Amino acid sequence: MELDLAGAELKAVLNRLRRAQGQISGVIRMIEEGRDCEEVVTQLAAASRALDRAGFAIIATGLQQCLTDIEGGRQDGEDREAMRARLEKLFLSLA
């Protein structure tokens, strides 16, 4: 299953990942500076949410692509079941 993100989808995922990257850098800095535990955990939770949202956006795109493939008759029953299982596993990995 290839990931085919285009235009706005790609931009949204990359923005979320960049936001998470900045938040993680901030968390590292906060720990190095000996900042308050509550502040650190709050920023870490925000980074985690940003990563989760990026993952869900990628999975949603994958689901949409798979549905298009199935509706277009490009996958037989066995392939559909294998694809469903793979997507379920991916989805649960973020849960």
Side-chain angles (χ1 to χ4, degrees), residues 23-61:
Q23 289 167 324
I24 290 169
S25 293
V27 168
I28 292 169
R29 226 178 1 267
M30 292 170 78
I31 291 170
E32 290 172 344
E33 295 169 357
R35 299 277 293 273
D36 180 68
C37 177
E38 189 174 341
E39 291 178 48
V40 172
V41 171
T42 299
Q43 284 303 308
L44 194 55
S48 179
R49 284 191 303 275
L51 287 172
D52 286 345
R53 288 186 179 126
F56 287 131
I58 289 169
I59 289 173
T61 300

Side-chain angles (χ1 to χ4, degrees), residues 63-82:
L63 286 170
Q64 185 178 19
Q65 290 171 3
C66 289
L67 288 173
T68 301
D69 287 350
I70 289 169
E71 289 170 357
R74 289 178 264 184
Q75 292 184 341
D76 61 28
E78 239 179 87
D79 287 341
R80 284 183 224 178
E81 184 58 29

